[in-house]
Amino acid sequence: MAAASQGSRSSRPQRRDPQGRPPQDGYGVYTYPNSFFRYEGEWKGGKTHGRGKLLFKDGSYYEGEFADGEIVGQGRRHWAATGNTYSGQFVFGEPQGHGVMEYKAGGRYEGELCHGVREGHGRLVEQDGRVYWGSFHNNKRHGLGHMAFPNGDEYEGNWVRDQRQGHGVLRCADGSTYEGQWHSDVRSGLGSMAHCSGLLYRGMWINGHPVGRAAKTVILGPEVMDVARGASFTVHVQLLQDNGAVATSEDGRLLRIAAGVRYVQLPAYSEVSFFTVDAGRREAPIQTPFGFQCIPYPLSGPPLSGPPLSGLEPRAANVSLPTGDPEVARSPDASCDQGDPPGGLPAGRDRSCCPEGCRRAERGCAQFEDVRLGAPPPGYHPVPFLDGPHQEASGPSPGTGTPTTQDPPGGSRPDGAAEAETGTEAPLGEYVIMIQDVTTPPFLGRRLPTAFKHLRVSARGPASSTPALESAPEPGPREAAHPRGQASPPDTTSS
């Protein structure tokens, strides 16, 4: 425009009124009485009309179209104080209509303006790299709009005065998706999050936090679980909220089961297993809430095989989640009802596939079936002990055996399955079952604390077991004449 103005200036004689009045017609240069404005360009009837350039004393300028003495039409405006530049439509000296605003501090807006502010539909690239396209009101994001963040996240939904408010969908770069209500730029109200780990939360949010999410893990059952040696058992798990209610709003949290054996030196007559461990196998003991420590111990069975955990944090090789396209599945909406998931929410990873020894909780509950303690791993050496708590420590009494890992199983499985093979079951004693939250990555950056259950392996199992499922003790002097499994004759000497 400046070049055009200079071309016009060189091709036309400049008119300067000797009495200080503005030119009447044609091209001319005029400095206004206050000396702040200077105009050079086309005139008509003593008014600026056509193309011209208005210069301000502070260095600002406007270059473009004029009509009847007013800045109207297409033009370019530069503000020296801010360094901003606008190119587009003007009405009575103000940017109005469609145009492009370049900001000296960084960023760019292209879209509709009214009285110099963003109003209507437009696209804003901000200094920090955020890109918004959608509705504006009074220079702020307002109405429906789409925001792309520098970290790869994208939001699409309602805005109120530059803040996300109302219904919207946030798709994160890691594959997580939230769809639901927003207030003051944070998740608030009913909403659903399909986390990239495979966890799905559907329920209420307040100030960006899910109200009904799990806060702790509990293992159901008696304070001490009694099982027979070699028998399998089931572990029932619940995820509880802070208020103690089951976290039914959650699905897909990944839980792993692990075991430990009591790590303590006890008298030989105690029914508590303890081990000597080779130097190369020594690992830091794990503190339990039962007043003693334990060392890792393996679980057996096809769904639970694998090395024991050495601590409470998962190892990447053992708990890594399966890879897959996070957009393959879709997650449910804010409703807690189960059924076909609606569109719009990717379910992250395949929640039906679990790493070895893991289960995914559904509606705050999980179950590990057919769990069995395995044989001591290499480097673990059980210390023999007597099978009666009242026996002397000097040695076994006549007719009693000293159970070791090579002894036959102490009893049958409560579920009626075949007994474990000789040498594959855990020695009698005290163990610990641990349920660990290994959701990867952690849901909203937080994993649940590990849950513990005290487990006691005995020759007979739980006291509530039926005689047919209990294991009989080794025959003593009086019982030697009666084979195991046969009833002894009634005592006729008692009255």
Side-chain angles (χ1 to χ4, degrees):
M1 294 181 181
S5 176
Q6 292 175 3
S8 299
R9 181 178 179 180
S10 61
S11 61
R12 301 180 183 182
Q14 298 185 28
R15 295 183 181 181
R16 296 177 181 269
D17 194 302
Q19 299 181 2
R21 292 180 297 181
Q24 292 299 305
D25 297 293
Y27 185 89
V29 178
Y30 178 72
T31 301
Y32 290 81
N34 61 9
S35 72
F36 188 80
F37 301 101
R38 181 177 182 272
Y39 173 81
E40 56 183 60
E42 297 177 339
W43 297 79
K44 183 178 180 181
K47 297 181 180 179
T48 55
H49 190 89
R51 296 198 61 82
K53 185 173 183 178
L54 181 65
L55 297 97
F56 301 79
K57 194 172 184 179
D58 65 353
S60 303
Y61 67 85
Y62 167 80
E63 184 175 14
E65 296 178 343
F66 292 79
D68 294 327
E70 298 288 349
I71 298 175
V72 176
Q74 289 289 127
R76 177 182 176 86
R77 175 79 157 89
H78 174 76
W79 291 266
T82 62
N84 299 337
T85 302
Y86 169 78
S87 300
Q89 295 176 322
F90 286 81
V91 175
F92 297 115
E94 292 184 321
Q96 189 155 323
H98 186 274
V100 177
M101 182 76 77
E102 303 278 352
Y103 301 98
K104 180 181 179 181
R108 182 176 187 270
Y109 171 78
E110 181 176 0
E112 298 174 332
L113 297 98
C114 183
H115 298 294
V117 299
R118 297 185 289 264
E119 188 76 31
H121 191 273
R123 184 176 187 270
L124 175 65
V125 180
E126 301 191 47
Q127 181 182 3
D128 59 7
R130 293 182 297 173
V131 180
Y132 171 86
W133 57 97
S135 296
F136 288 86
H137 175 65
N138 196 24
N139 220 39
K140 297 182 183 294
R141 298 181 291 266
H142 192 91
L144 288 176
H146 188 121
M147 172 77 85
F149 296 87
N151 64 353
D153 296 350
E154 292 190 10
Y155 170 83
E156 186 174 6
N158 289 289
W159 296 77
V160 175
R161 286 183 282 186
D162 266 349
Q163 293 186 327
R164 290 170 288 188
Q165 190 151 318
H167 184 271
V169 178
L170 175 66
R171 296 180 177 87
C172 301
D174 63 3
S176 302
T177 300
Y178 170 83
E179 180 175 0
Q181 296 298 308
W182 296 75
H183 183 75
S184 298
D185 215 38
V186 296
R187 294 179 286 261
S188 288
L190 287 175
S192 299
M193 171 171 277
H195 195 248
C196 58
S197 64
L199 188 149
L200 173 65
Y201 175 84
R202 298 165 293 180
M204 185 65 67
W205 297 70
I206 294 180
N207 293 328
H209 301 286
V211 177
R213 75 170 174 181
K216 64 178 180 179
T217 308
V218 296
I219 304 174
L220 303 182
E223 183 176 349
V224 179
M225 293 177 58
D226 286 298
V227 298
R229 185 182 184 188
S232 64
F233 53 93
T234 299
V235 178
H236 299 273
V237 180
Q238 283 186 344
L239 308 180
L240 302 185
Q241 305 174 36
D242 285 323
N243 60 6
V246 179
T248 56
S249 298
E250 274 196 17
D251 286 320
R253 189 179 289 270
L254 189 63
L255 305 176
R256 181 176 183 182
I257 189 170
V261 63
R262 184 167 182 172
Y263 182 68
V264 65
Q265 299 297 322
L266 294 174
Y269 58 80
S270 174
E271 283 198 8
V272 177
S273 294
F274 59 98
F275 296 83
T276 60
V277 182
D278 293 345
R281 295 285 302 183
R282 290 177 184 171
E283 301 180 63
I286 302 169
Q287 185 62 47
T288 72
F290 312 120
F292 60 82
Q293 294 178 328
C294 67
I295 54 176
Y297 195 87
L299 295 171
S300 65
L304 300 171
S305 60
L309 293 182
S310 59
L312 300 187
E313 290 299 322
R315 291 177 177 174
N318 295 331
V319 300
S320 58
L321 291 176
T323 58
D325 186 353
E327 300 293 331
V328 170
R330 295 288 174 180
S331 64
D333 59 8
S335 170
C336 292
D337 298 333
Q338 294 184 350
D340 295 334
L345 280 180
R349 311 187 185 194
D350 184 3
R351 295 193 291 116
S352 63
C353 183
C354 292
E356 200 169 45
C358 296
R359 299 287 186 274
R360 287 199 181 271
E362 298 296 331
R363 298 188 64 79
C365 299
Q367 183 170 296
F368 294 83
E369 299 177 344
D370 200 27
V371 182
R372 185 185 294 111
L373 295 168
Y380 282 47
H381 307 289
V383 176
F385 56 87
L386 300 182
D387 60 354
H390 304 293
Q391 302 291 338
E392 294 294 335
S394 59
S397 60
T400 60
T402 303
T404 67
T405 55
Q406 301 300 321
D407 289 340
S412 303
R413 290 173 49 181
D415 57 5
E419 295 180 345
E421 296 181 3
T422 302
T424 62
E425 69 279 359
L428 308 184
E430 291 185 83
Y431 296 81
V432 174
I433 295 297
M434 294 173 283
I435 301 297
Q436 301 166 318
D437 177 9
V438 293
T439 307
T440 305
F443 180 52
L444 299 182
R446 174 188 172 191
R447 284 197 176 101
L448 303 181
T450 300
F452 296 83
K453 176 63 70 173
H454 195 170
L455 180 71
R456 184 165 52 207
V457 176
S458 61
R460 302 180 65 86
S464 60
S465 301
T466 60
L469 297 180
E470 292 180 349
S471 56
E474 293 291 334
R478 181 182 179 188
E479 303 174 62
H482 305 286
R484 180 180 297 183
Q486 297 182 8
S488 59
D491 189 357
T492 59
T493 59
S494 59
S495 55

